[in-house]
Amino acid sequence: MKFTEEHEWLRVEDDIVVVGITEHAAEQLGDIVFVELPSVGNEVTKDDEVVVIESVKAASDILAPIDGEIMEVNDVLTDEPSKVNDDPLGDGWMFKIKPSDASQMDDFMDEAAYKKFIG
Amino acid sequence: MSDLRVTPLNALHKELGAKMVPFAGYEMPVQYPMGVMKEHLHCRAEAGLFDVSHMGQVVIWPKSGNYADAAQALETLVPVDVAGLGEMRQRYAMFLNDHGGILDDLMIANMGDHIFVVVNAGCKDADIAHMQKHLSDTCKIEVLDTRALLALQGPSAVTVLSRLNGAVADMKFMDVARDVDLDGISAVMSRSGYTGEDGFEISVAADDAEALTRKLLAHDEVEPIGLGARDSLRLEAGLCLYGHDIDEGTTPIEAGLGWAIQKVRRAGGARAGGFPGADVILSQQADGPVRRRVGLRPEGRAPMREGTQLYAHAEGGDVIGHVTSGAFGPTLGGPMSMGYVATAFAGPETMIYGDVRGKRLPAKVTAMPFVPANFKR
């Protein structure tokens, strides 16, 4: 699993990448009450706003960590956004993206580096 | 955060694991480890304890010793019936500017020989100056800056406080009591609050605040509640937050607070007018305001936050208003907002549209409160 400075995690499954937010991010956001997911088939560019999360505190954007095509989204979150708090690294995953440039993955942190990053 | 003021419970909040944030010049707990959603639900189910010591507590002493003289003076600043307020009774009021705009909203209580006032933290310095400027001829303004204020809110609040003093259960909604002995701690109490639940606000000496808080938290029903849940609780209850839902640019009539202006202060009343902005307010009361505060239930789950522009149609047309507070209601189980719209769109069930991130989402105008109140009248 790789981590971004935007507090996303990326897990490679064959030729696609599953993306979610980290436990640290979920905790910082507080209770999540709304998740707006991108459309499947969207071509996105790194740093595009692809997901909107609303917590009891505020709205936050989740940025595309890499270029690629959205292959699947976790529709369950539309009705059960609290899954992001309950299981951010598992059932709370957000979308699957097919990278157009796999080398963009090289820039990200491993778990040890991310832990150090969040202090 | 060194320039922030602290309440007498600051160390206890940190001991309890609160996340502290700056609020109205104070370092305050926004949430405890339980989290905003669970804190909110706990308060509605049992009892939640709030530190509201940042709010201003002020006493208006009539120099004559007669309550009626203090009441007469205060009525020049607020549009409510102060003279007719029963002894040991509390009432909602607001300070007004000359245009009828709201300088602050406050609670006033008739304590027999004085008026006890609680004002918002963010406005208290201005409020105190305002009272000193306008009331000093006949009254002495005493700022109670060595007192703390706690609120115990929720259906179990009365059960818990009755264990400390059984007489508390005899108080009715908006009753006030002084010299209440809470297990050895002397308190001034009112049966009121800011959650829509039954509950009490408890004023005690700063030195007693931590001891009383620990006593209350020792009861299984009681959990500490932060500012996050305080906001969602008051919004579900349809209560205004000063600086957001009401401010110097909104009148009590636009804000739907005309009920707070008793008949005796309205046109035709024995003491009609005589408060700042009375001409504006009384004419709005007669003719209707051009805009009104309304409740909104957005369809779907996306909250419409403060600042969201409102439209009559899904496409095109002019802005008809804006949202002043918006959040997810944990008890409501969905998003809720309040805001101002042109009067033509203020009727219940009117469908309007809010611009959320460039998309116009439908929202229905709804009577407030969003969650029914649970007061003990």
Side-chain angles (χ1 to χ4, degrees):
Chain A
M1 200 177 267
K2 297 276 196 178
F3 297 87
T4 74
E5 291 187 2
E6 307 292 328
H7 307 286
E8 293 154 288
W9 55 261
L10 297 84
R11 192 174 62 233
V12 179
E13 289 180 355
D14 300 323
D15 62 341
I16 62 167
V17 177
V18 189
V19 182
I21 64 167
T22 65
E23 281 177 313
H24 173 77
E27 192 187 312
Q28 291 295 313
L29 287 166
D31 300 305
I32 290 164
V33 297
F34 171 74
V35 178
E36 186 177 282
L37 296 162
S39 301
V40 172
N42 271 11
E43 292 281 352
V44 299
T45 305
K46 181 176 160 67
D47 295 340
D48 282 356
E49 294 165 5
V50 285
V51 177
V52 177
I53 293 181
E54 294 258 9
S55 75
V56 287
K57 293 174 201 160
S60 316
D61 294 316
I62 305 297
L63 308 180
I66 53 176
D67 301 348
E69 181 185 352
I70 303 292
M71 305 302 290
E72 193 180 337
V73 298
N74 188 2
D75 285 323
V76 175
L77 301 182
T78 306
D79 291 324
E80 295 179 71
S82 61
K83 280 199 186 299
V84 179
N85 295 111
D86 297 340
D87 190 9
L89 304 183
D91 288 348
W93 68 274
M94 295 195 168
F95 57 90
K96 297 182 181 178
I97 183 169
K98 186 171 189 178
S100 44
D101 176 4
S103 73
Q104 285 178 326
M105 294 284 291
D106 299 342
D107 302 338
F108 298 132
M109 294 174 274
D110 61 15
E111 187 170 359
Y114 179 69
K115 279 196 169 145
K116 202 170 169 190
F117 174 69
I118 60 175
Chain B
M1 304 233 274
S2 58
D3 53 342
L4 288 175
R5 290 192 266 187
V6 297
T7 74
L9 296 176
N10 188 269
L12 180 56
H13 295 313
K14 290 174 178 170
E15 179 187 321
L16 293 168
K19 187 180 290 183
M20 306 297 285
V21 298
F23 180 82
Y26 283 80
E27 189 188 47
M28 296 299 289
V30 67
Q31 66 171 80
Y32 296 86
M34 191 179 235
V36 176
M37 189 95 79
K38 287 192 181 121
E39 288 173 28
H40 176 115
L41 295 171
H42 182 87
C43 182
R44 292 244 186 274
E46 299 202 56
L49 184 62
F50 303 75
D51 177 14
V52 286
S53 304
H54 57 314
M55 299 186 79
Q57 301 182 66
V58 181
V59 167
I60 304 172
W61 292 104
K63 288 179 180 171
S64 66
N66 294 324
Y67 171 83
D69 293 326
Q72 190 180 1
L74 185 56
E75 284 196 358
T76 64
L77 301 182
V78 301
V80 312
D81 179 6
V82 187
L85 178 62
E87 192 166 333
M88 306 317 283
R89 291 285 293 164
Q90 192 178 42
R91 177 164 280 172
Y92 180 67
M94 59 282 291
F95 289 130
L96 299 168
N97 65 26
D98 290 336
H99 310 288
I102 301 171
L103 296 172
D104 195 10
D105 62 342
L106 59 146
M107 298 300 288
I108 61 172
N110 175 351
M111 305 301 290
D113 57 354
H114 65 271
I115 303 174
F116 177 51
V117 175
V118 179
V119 300
N120 283 302
C123 302
K124 69 180 173 186
D125 294 341
D127 290 340
I128 291 161
H130 186 61
M131 286 186 274
Q132 279 167 339
K133 182 176 172 191
H134 295 284
L135 306 180
S136 289
D137 282 352
T138 56
C139 302
K140 183 171 157 282
I141 306 303
E142 183 189 0
V143 181
L144 304 182
D145 49 10
T146 59
R147 288 184 79 81
L149 192 64
L150 309 179
L152 188 67
Q153 300 278 300
S156 301
V158 66
T159 317
V160 169
L161 284 165
S162 294
R163 291 181 199 138
L164 304 188
N165 185 327
V168 163
D170 298 331
M171 293 174 70
K172 293 190 171 60
F173 182 57
M174 299 293 248
D175 273 356
V176 183
R178 62 202 292 185
D179 304 322
V180 182
D181 182 341
L182 293 176
D183 198 17
I185 293 170
S186 177
V188 173
M189 295 177 61
S190 65
R191 195 158 189 174
S192 57
Y194 193 48
T195 59
E197 294 298 323
D198 181 30
F200 297 82
E201 296 202 341
I202 309 162
S203 171
V204 294
D207 290 345
D208 290 331
E210 186 175 328
L212 179 60
T213 303
R214 288 186 191 277
K215 277 182 204 291
L216 293 171
L217 289 174
H219 298 258
D220 287 344
E221 296 94 333
V222 181
E223 293 288 344
I225 312 291
L227 292 175
R230 182 168 165 82
D231 192 54
S232 53
L233 287 159
R234 69 90 194 169
L235 186 51
E236 281 187 343
L239 299 170
C240 292
L241 175 60
Y242 190 80
H244 299 260
D245 309 306
I246 47 176
D247 57 31
E248 290 182 41
T250 55
T251 71
I253 308 305
E254 291 169 337
L257 301 173
W259 56 265
I261 305 174
Q262 285 77 24
K263 272 189 180 159
V264 71
R265 308 296 311 273
R266 296 182 194 174
R271 297 194 309 284
F275 49 84
D279 50 340
V280 175
I281 288 172
L282 295 182
S283 76
Q284 282 185 357
Q285 203 152 34
D287 305 333
V290 298
R291 58 175 192 156
R292 282 192 65 94
R293 182 173 64 96
V294 295
L296 293 173
R297 286 295 317 270
E299 294 194 345
R301 288 186 69 94
M304 287 183 187
R305 303 275 183 188
E306 182 175 2
T308 300
Q309 299 285 326
L310 299 170
Y311 297 85
H313 305 289
E315 283 175 38
D318 294 331
V319 172
I320 58 162
H322 66 283
V323 170
T324 52
S325 285
F328 185 86
T331 304
L332 189 64
M336 60 186 166
S337 297
M338 62 170 82
Y340 285 82
V341 296
T343 303
F345 305 97
E349 305 294 307
T350 306
M351 192 64 86
I352 60 175
Y353 298 83
D355 184 322
V356 179
R357 294 177 285 271
K359 275 186 253 177
R360 287 204 195 165
L361 303 179
K364 194 181 276 181
V365 175
T366 309
M368 291 184 282
F370 296 104
V371 172
N374 190 24
F375 302 134
K376 292 291 175 281
R377 291 188 192 274

